[in-house]
Amino acid sequence: MSGRTADASRSITDQVTEVSLRRVGLYAVLVGLLAFYLSPIEAGLVTSLKTTAAFNETAPYVPPGLDGLTLAKWAEAFSLLQAGLVNSLILTIPATILSATLGSLAAYGLTKVDWKGQVGVYVLFIAGIFIPYQAVLVPLSEFWGQMFPLYEIGAPVWAAVPFLQEYHGHLLALIVTHTAYGVPICTLLFRSYYKDISDEIVEAARLDGASVASIYRKVILPLSVPMFAVTLIYQFTQVWNDLLFALIIIPSGSGSAAPVTLALVQLGSGVVTDFTIKMAGALVTALPTIIVYVLFGEQFAEGVAA
Amino acid sequence: MRSLLRGVKRLFTDDGGDATAGLDQADDGPTDTTVTDVGEPVPDGGVEAAAGPATAGDGEDSMLSRLRRSDFLGSLPFWLPPFLLMGFFVYGAIGWNLLISLTDMSGFTDPDYSNLDLQNYAQAFSDPGFINAAQNTFVLLVAFTLVCLVVGLLLAILVDQGIRFENTFRTIYLLPMSLSFVVTAQFWLWMYNFDNGMVNTLLRSVGVANPPQWIGDPQFVLTAVIIALVWQFSGYAMVVYLAALRAIPSAQFEAARVDGASTVRMYWRVIVPQLKSATISAMVVLMVFALKAFDFLYSLAGGYQPPSGSDILATKMVREAFNRGEWAYGSAIAIMLFLMALAVVAPYLTMQYRQGEL
């Protein structure tokens, strides 16, 4: 901000001291806030690296000394969560791609096409973002449990295809569910982007005789690449981080289908809570989203801001 | 589907004569064929007839409007399949949930749809657990949203001072939002641990002899939860405010300086009033996040029963249905939760629509 310019009546040195004092104060506050935002993660990280002895002896935020340092908790957490990590990947990747694709298609059909009713349909899409999922849970479990039990219906498929097990039916149900509830936000993200694409390009293509479908393929889709990045990143973290749908759709007996979030809830909780293993597990679970966030922070912020 | 379209169309009937007239005919004519013939424009007489009165002009015009009419059909394959999938799972499920809430489905019995009444809703209002959960939900919603907005605005103003390493600061403030509720619950469980957690260790080191139990104390647990959620989501408010601040012309900052406004007064008088629409949209989204706090509380407790003093409608609904098998009662709570969300979101969407933001 350029508010620091000129107040000619005062001497230059006065101004410089005042400005630099303010700057020092500003940075002190910013760094103090950093401490607030990083401390839970820092405490988790140092704790996950401690041996049980070091855990008992040191303060929660102090890193372990060389003799108290161990990767054993990470290894243990990883091996306990391994199956969950695989399940999470199996369900997150297709659900992310499907909802982003459907969102792009829907947004195009409701933006660049000249049809008056589109805003009304769009409102119905958007309202879907804001519903509390509690309002659909009982029907969801009825649908996937009683009416359309994919794990049973798909039995011949699970038997015939190598690597597929019955519990993959639960994962498939989760993929469909996440896709359906991801469509509204993806549509919103793409539509706000498509609205800014110039109408003239589309109109020109139309006068050249291009059909609605070929305008999408040849004009809109190539322009959508940056938005696909934003949507895929946002949706990946959403689906990866979910607990509620997994809890409701996967029957409590079927632990083999549990995604990593569901497995993490119980990790390290016994008669005495083992925080070293809990923290290691939390970081293992968070690692994919943290990596995505660090690599694509800008896109994530953009997705969030929309 | 058709009646839905009609309803939607009616919303726009006062938008101007000829466009609506054109839509009317397009709707009556070719829509019926869409079921069988999706894709390319329908080359039958219906389109020609519909195109006629709307244009009444030269050849080029009528060709343009014919292309436009065909756009509706051409657009169907794009938005209809996602719409049906979403509509089934969102609106179909809410309708079904409403029906279940009117039955007395519990345990392993199937719902009996022939005998519907409002008994579950009556039960809720005489259930002290429900009243308590509703109060906690309200407190959480209001306190969390307000604190998040204030912290987010503060962060945005600080980050907006032309600082070095701006990206790093922003990235770290927003980082918690990329984490799962399940993960953040584990971190905060450790932070709030009575004996060894960081919060109490720090409190003891500054001379607080008897720090609170936090999670274990019904008096403090809601505050503890709100602090943790603010930690996770204030970065979101920052991002929204930052975008809004950057949209304000810098001349206004300078003008306020020249007038001699002090920094705080300048922000309060000149800048903050311009952040109204950013505040409203951040507020709505934050409230929706707060309604989803179920994952956090479930992970904190490691089960359906959240720590005493922190039961909210979202946790109570899931517990009644999926833990105790009171499906119909749980559904009724869900409907009330849905109505609460609707009360927040409907005015917001209406406002957005009026301003042409949609």
Side-chain angles (χ1 to χ4, degrees), chain B residues 73-105:
Chain B
L73 296 180
S75 77
L76 273 178
F78 287 90
W79 63 263
L80 194 58
F83 184 76
L84 291 179
L85 178 72
M86 184 278 301
F88 175 75
F89 276 97
V90 173
Y91 297 104
I94 292 175
W96 191 3
N97 187 91
L98 179 63
L99 261 185
I100 292 176
S101 78
L102 301 173
T103 67
D104 47 14
M105 179 189 182

Side-chain angles (χ1 to χ4, degrees), chain B residues 239-250:
Chain B
V239 169
V240 174
Y241 277 130
L242 208 50
L245 283 176
R246 301 256 149 109
I248 297 175
S250 60

Side-chain angles (χ1 to χ4, degrees), chain A residues 21-35, chain B residues 158 169 173:
Chain A
L21 270 179
R22 285 189 45 171
R23 287 263 115 179
V24 170
L26 173 67
Y27 282 103
V29 175
L30 284 166
V31 171
L33 284 163
L34 275 196
Chain B
L158 290 175
F169 282 109
Y173 297 148

Side-chain angles (χ1 to χ4, degrees), chain B residues 242-266:
Chain B
L242 208 50
L245 283 176
R246 301 256 149 109
I248 297 175
S250 60
Q252 292 198 18
F253 289 88
E254 279 165 43
R257 296 275 179 184
V258 174
D259 287 351
S262 76
T263 312
V264 174
R265 277 235 316 275
M266 175 199 56

Side-chain angles (χ1 to χ4, degrees), chain A residues 103 106-107 110-111 115 117-129 183-193 195, chain B residues 8 12 79 83 86 91 349 353 357-358:
Chain A
L110 295 173
T111 311
W115 170 49
Q118 51 184 290
V119 179
V121 178
Y122 180 62
V123 168
L124 288 175
F125 270 101
I126 297 308
I129 300 171
V183 161
I185 183 71
C186 294
T187 307
L188 172 98
L189 288 170
F190 276 110
R191 191 181 133 112
S192 58
Y193 184 70
K195 260 170 68 173
Chain B
V8 165
F12 300 96
W79 63 263
F83 184 76
M86 184 278 301
Y91 297 104
L349 286 181
Y353 171 66
E357 300 269 335
L358 292 180

Side-chain angles (χ1 to χ4, degrees), chain B residues 2 44 52 61 81 88 100 116 120 131 141 146 155 180-181 185 254 266 275 303 316 323 326 332:
Chain B
R2 278 193 60 111
D44 66 7
D61 244 350
F88 175 75
I100 292 176
L116 303 180
N120 290 306
I131 306 290
L141 219 63
L146 282 181
L155 288 176
S180 166
F181 270 132
E254 279 165 43
M266 175 199 56
L275 300 174
K316 184 167 171 67
N323 188 27
E326 298 290 343

Side-chain angles (χ1 to χ4, degrees), chain B residues 292-351:
Chain B
K292 291 184 178 173
F294 168 87
D295 285 17
F296 186 80
L297 289 165
Y298 181 91
S299 313
L300 215 50
Y304 289 105
Q305 179 72 56
S308 167
S310 63
D311 199 17
I312 58 173
L313 289 178
T315 48
K316 184 167 171 67
M317 179 270 149
V318 177
R319 188 170 69 250
E320 292 291 348
F322 293 92
N323 188 27
R324 305 180 55 191
E326 298 290 343
W327 304 104
Y329 187 40
S331 303
I333 297 174
I335 288 295
M336 289 186 269
L337 200 56
F338 170 69
L339 291 178
M340 279 176 68
L342 204 62
V344 173
V345 171
Y348 172 67
L349 286 181
T350 315
M351 192 191 78

Side-chain angles (χ1 to χ4, degrees), chain A residues 1-2 23 27 30 37 47 60 113-115 124 135 139 181 191 195 206 241 243 278-279 293 304, chain B residues 68 71-72 89 91 97 160-161 164 171 173-174 178 180 186 190 196 231 234 236 254 295 357-358:
Chain A
M1 224 119 296
S2 44
R23 287 263 115 179
Y27 282 103
L30 284 166
Y37 284 93
T47 302
V113 174
D114 206 343
W115 170 49
L124 288 175
Y181 291 103
R191 191 181 133 112
K195 260 170 68 173
R206 193 176 283 154
N241 289 344
L243 171 77
K278 243 189 193 315
M279 293 303 106
Y293 176 71
V304 161
Chain B
R68 292 226 158 118
D71 267 3
F72 170 70
F89 276 97
Y91 297 104
N97 187 91
D160 196 34
Q161 301 299 313
R164 298 182 68 181
T171 305
Y173 297 148
L174 188 62
S178 71
S180 166
Q186 310 303 316
W190 177 220
N196 302 315
W231 173 79
S234 43
Y236 164 75
E254 279 165 43
D295 285 17
E357 300 269 335
L358 292 180

